[in-house]
Amino acid sequence: MMGTLSILLLSPWLGSLINGLLGRVIWKTQSARRSGVIATAAAGVSFVCSVILWWSLTQGNEPAELSIRWIDIGDLALDLGFRFDRLTAVMALFVTGIGTLIHLYSIGYMDHDKSPSRYFAYLNLFLANMLVLITASSLPVMFIGWEGVGLCSYLLIGFWFEDPAKAQAGMKAFIVNRIGDAGFLLGIFLLLNTLHTVNFVQMAKVMAQPDILSLVDIPTLTLAALFLFIGSMGKSAQIPLYVWLPDAMAGPTPVSALIHAATMVTAGIYLVVRMGFLYQVTPQASALIAVVGTATAVLSALIATSQRDIKKVLAYSTVSQLGLIFVALGAGAYVAGLFHVVTHAFFKALLFLGAGSVIHAMSGEQDIYKMGGLKKYTPITFWTFTIGWAAICGLPPFSGFFSKDLILFSLVTTGGYRGWVLWGLASFTSILTAFYMTRLYLLTFFGQLRSHDAHPHESPSVMAIPLMVLAVGAAVAGVLELPHLFHVTPLLSHWLDGVVPLTPHAEGPLSELGAMVIATVGAVVAIGLAWMTFGAGKVKFDRPGHPLTMVFREKFFVDEFYDLVFVKPFRMVSGVLARVVDPKLVDGLFTGSAKLARFGGTVVSFVQWGAVQFYLWVMAAGAVVLFWFFLRGSIFP
């Protein structure tokens, strides 16, 4: 299986090289179809390899591994290693599967773009780095993929760099992620110094020792766990490093689906799940994860209730859903969090691509207040979007119902008042999700078309087919982890048994069925409230709105706060350094020495002016002076 693992990793790299280096040479004219076929085929090969490797694991075979010596300095020996185990299989299947569908969708979406080869080269490169990240056998190798997806996000978000706003959005994502990456590096250094290994299997064996608490310094491990979580904050957009993700909407819509659903934003979650053995012995770090996740989920959901850009609503929804997943991870419900990662990948990719189809139908319009009535113009988009909407709202029997319910029930079974507080805030977030998603759904597809300039039309089949496939996934992915009351073996828990820590359970007054009923009733009430407010043209589109709504619409002025406290002071200090310190002090050290040398040369030039007679007189005078000193020392001591 090593050959299959090699092909899994190399296929998207090859696709990226072909489109990136040879695209303009192969095609006399830029062709989205030709470039897209190569890129989609490369992603599809990786998906097939993922299926083969997954099937091998189901037959009881050992995980496929690749490893070569990478760094060997003194006592430090690191391998460039890759490993495809059961946790990797879960990630790889939906990363490559949904990634392939997004590549296919992009063929139609980017049909009229002037640089499709560059776009598909970036898209393949993004997938390649994500595969490096999830198959890495150690933290340093994961960091290679981690930085790779960060670079590719910058390239894809700022793909239309001719627009300064889009270029700035890409730069913002790059800079914010560098803050998180610094924390990731510090966590690696601390773990290497404490455990003397950063290989996942070896670290798990060390942490599994019965007397581990007496063998290692727990405060140091807690600090390392916190630093790793800072890295997760950047990639998975948690407070305070979430501000890049809404601005990532500047990129093409398929990029938004790839980043926000199946790949980059799941990297931080994957890191925490992979390091679950560390967070089990560092409860303070886990508690902080739960607190940050809760704050992120609630704040982002409130902001999403008042956004008008269809992609911005989905962006803040992504931030909120990621926060909900981190709440589960902080409570130790790793399987529940990972289950929601899988279902979220399906329905959020579906919603983003559905939004792209809507934007395509509206000739680039993204304001939901200028849409309406698209149900009759785009039937395929409408029905597939409806499935995604039902899934994210948590309506049975769609996938989001099962995964969100599992998170909520896991919170109340963790024991203590903390679990109930987390459950209450997570439930409130779920209710808000149903409200703002219904608002988006109604304003987009129902009522009358509110734009007189648009001529809506259904998307081509190359865009519609991925929507239909994702709709099936969003509808049925819940079977991966059915509740215990169905009296069937939960597939995901069984698959990850021994790989991911199981959720701690404590008896409580709320049963699993009761938690389901409460969550469903909350979603239905929120949907009804949204229908009463926005259904069938009842909203007043020219009304300024409640002051609190304005605060939500302006995103709690967080960007303005960051700009005032961090960006402007940094630019001011940078300006002083650029105008004063750099030219006067730094450059002065070098230019000053050059000026001194030039001055010395100028002085010497007064006696080196090219007259041979003058040189002879100087030589004679020098001889007389030397002879005088000789006589003075010999005759007149």
Side-chain angles (χ1 to χ4, degrees):
M1 287 296 156
M2 290 190 297
T4 307
L5 180 56
S6 300
I7 297 172
L8 167 75
L9 294 170
L10 293 177
S11 179
W13 285 102
L14 181 60
S16 178
L17 287 174
I18 292 175
N19 273 318
L21 299 180
L22 304 177
R24 291 181 178 272
V25 177
I26 296 175
W27 323 128
K28 293 182 180 180
T29 59
Q30 289 290 296
S31 170
R33 187 172 298 276
R34 294 170 180 173
S35 299
V37 167
I38 291 175
T40 304
V45 168
S46 291
F47 174 66
V48 172
C49 290
S50 298
V51 174
I52 294 172
L53 292 168
W54 164 77
W55 179 255
S56 175
L57 291 174
T58 64
Q59 303 306 302
N61 296 322
E62 291 296 316
E65 292 188 74
L66 286 173
S67 182
I68 59 173
R69 184 49 56 91
W70 179 25
I71 298 174
D72 196 349
I73 304 174
D75 296 332
L76 179 62
L78 295 176
D79 290 337
L80 185 65
F82 304 93
R83 190 169 189 268
F84 195 96
D85 61 7
R86 289 174 176 261
L87 177 57
T88 304
V90 174
M91 296 291 296
L93 284 172
F94 77 78
V95 165
T96 56
I98 295 177
T100 301
L101 292 174
I102 293 172
H103 279 70
L104 178 62
Y105 178 95
S106 296
I107 295 175
Y109 193 87
M110 301 296 289
D111 187 46
H112 300 294
D113 193 84
K114 63 181 181 180
S115 302
S117 294
R118 178 166 60 91
Y119 169 82
F120 283 106
Y122 291 165
L123 215 59
N124 267 173
L125 187 62
F126 192 105
L127 182 61
N129 280 289
M130 189 65 191
L131 289 173
V132 169
L133 190 155
I134 62 177
T135 58
S137 62
S138 65
L139 284 171
V141 179
M142 177 186 279
F143 189 73
I144 296 175
W146 192 274
E147 289 297 285
V149 295
L151 170 63
C152 292
S153 68
Y154 161 74
L155 295 173
L156 286 167
I157 294 169
F159 178 75
W160 290 314
F161 58 85
E162 296 90 349
D163 185 341
K166 291 178 170 57
Q168 187 175 3
M171 184 63 70
K172 184 176 182 179
F174 190 79
I175 293 174
V176 172
N177 272 277
R178 296 292 74 73
I179 299 172
D181 296 348
F184 193 162
L185 276 176
L186 291 173
I188 295 175
F189 297 151
L190 281 175
L191 287 175
L192 184 61
N193 185 62
T194 306
L195 302 179
H196 308 294
T197 180
V198 283
N199 180 276
F200 294 124
V201 174
Q202 295 173 3
M203 284 191 292
K205 289 180 179 179
V206 172
M207 300 298 290
Q209 298 179 34
D211 54 348
I212 183 64
L213 297 180
S214 61
L215 294 177
V216 298
D217 184 23
I218 297 301
T220 303
L221 286 182
T222 300
L223 187 60
L226 291 175
F227 277 130
L228 292 181
F229 178 56
I230 291 174
S232 297
M233 285 181 185
K235 280 291 181 288
S236 295
Q238 298 297 288
I239 290 175
L241 302 180
Y242 74 96
V243 291
W244 69 268
L245 193 144
D247 287 5
M249 297 299 98
T253 298
V255 171
S256 303
L258 191 66
I259 291 177
H260 292 191
T263 53
M264 182 170 168
V265 296
T266 64
I269 296 166
Y270 173 72
L271 173 61
V272 174
V273 174
R274 177 62 78 179
M275 297 296 294
F277 52 81
L278 172 64
Y279 288 99
Q280 278 192 309
V281 299
T282 54
Q284 294 87 350
S286 295
L288 180 63
I289 291 175
V291 170
V292 171
T294 302
T296 304
V298 174
L299 179 74
S300 302
L302 290 172
I303 293 174
T305 59
S306 300
Q307 298 302 303
R308 292 178 51 161
D309 188 316
I310 186 172
K311 290 174 66 176
K312 283 288 181 71
V313 176
L314 296 177
Y316 280 105
S317 171
T318 297
V319 177
S320 182
Q321 295 298 304
L322 294 172
L324 195 63
I325 295 170
F326 274 110
V327 175
L329 301 185
Y334 297 102
V335 173
L338 194 62
F339 181 35
H340 198 59
V341 167
V342 176
T343 61
H344 177 266
F346 279 106
F347 63 68
K348 188 51 67 69
L350 172 59
L351 291 170
F352 265 114
L353 295 186
S357 183
V358 168
I359 295 169
H360 183 269
M362 294 292 293
S363 303
E365 181 60 64
Q366 296 184 198
D367 189 345
I368 58 176
Y369 277 22
K370 296 180 181 179
M371 297 179 184
L374 295 183
K375 174 183 176 181
K376 62 180 179 181
Y377 299 105
T378 57
I380 296 176
T381 301
F382 167 73
W383 287 112
T384 53
F385 199 96
T386 299
I387 293 175
W389 162 78
I392 194 174
C393 289
L395 296 179
F398 300 98
S399 61
F401 165 76
F402 295 102
S403 59
K404 196 174 294 186
D405 174 74
L406 183 59
I407 289 178
L408 295 176
F409 184 64
S410 298
L411 295 177
V412 298
T413 58
T414 55
Y417 73 92
R418 191 186 76 169
W420 283 101
V421 172
L422 294 177
W423 173 81
L425 292 173
S427 298
F428 177 64
T429 301
S430 298
I431 292 171
L432 286 177
T433 301
F435 176 81
Y436 65 69
M437 285 305 304
T438 304
R439 168 181 177 266
L440 180 150
Y441 180 64
L442 294 173
L443 293 179
T444 301
F445 293 103
F446 291 85
Q448 298 297 319
L449 182 63
R450 292 179 291 276
S451 174
H452 300 290
D453 299 326
H455 302 284
H457 56 280
E458 185 59 272
S459 298
S461 58
V462 73
M463 296 171 65
I465 291 174
L467 292 177
M468 291 185 281
V469 175
L470 288 171
V472 173
V476 305
V479 300
L480 293 175
E481 188 74 6
L482 292 174
H484 290 87
L485 58 87
F486 282 76
H487 302 292
V488 295
T489 301
L491 297 178
L492 193 60
S493 295
H494 179 71
W495 176 255
L496 295 174
D497 188 19
V499 181
V500 173
L502 297 179
T503 306
H505 285 285
E507 293 297 330
L510 187 62
S511 66
E512 191 169 17
L513 179 60
M516 279 186 176
V517 171
I518 293 174
T520 305
V521 170
V524 171
V525 170
I527 291 171
L529 181 61
W531 175 262
M532 292 172 58
T533 308
F534 301 99
K538 297 175 184 177
V539 64
K540 300 294 185 181
F541 295 97
D542 56 349
R543 187 172 56 189
H546 191 276
L548 194 58
T549 303
M550 298 298 295
V551 173
F552 297 160
R553 185 175 301 163
E554 297 302 323
K555 302 161 288 187
F556 286 91
F557 301 97
V558 172
D559 284 311
E560 289 78 5
F561 174 76
Y562 283 4
D563 186 64
L564 179 65
V565 175
F566 299 109
V567 177
K568 287 183 178 178
F570 182 79
R571 286 180 175 173
M572 183 179 66
V573 172
S574 299
V576 172
L577 293 175
R579 292 190 299 270
V580 179
V581 177
D582 186 60
K584 302 297 183 183
L585 181 61
V586 178
D587 290 348
L589 293 176
F590 298 95
T591 59
S593 60
K595 290 178 180 179
L596 181 62
R598 180 179 296 177
F599 175 76
T602 302
V603 172
V604 173
S605 69
F606 286 115
V607 295
Q608 293 287 336
W609 47 288
V612 177
Q613 298 88 339
F614 176 74
Y615 298 159
L616 291 174
W617 278 107
V618 172
M619 291 172 62
V624 170
V625 172
L626 290 175
F627 184 69
W628 183 78
F629 275 105
F630 172 75
L631 292 177
R632 182 181 177 185
S634 300
I635 304 175
F636 309 106

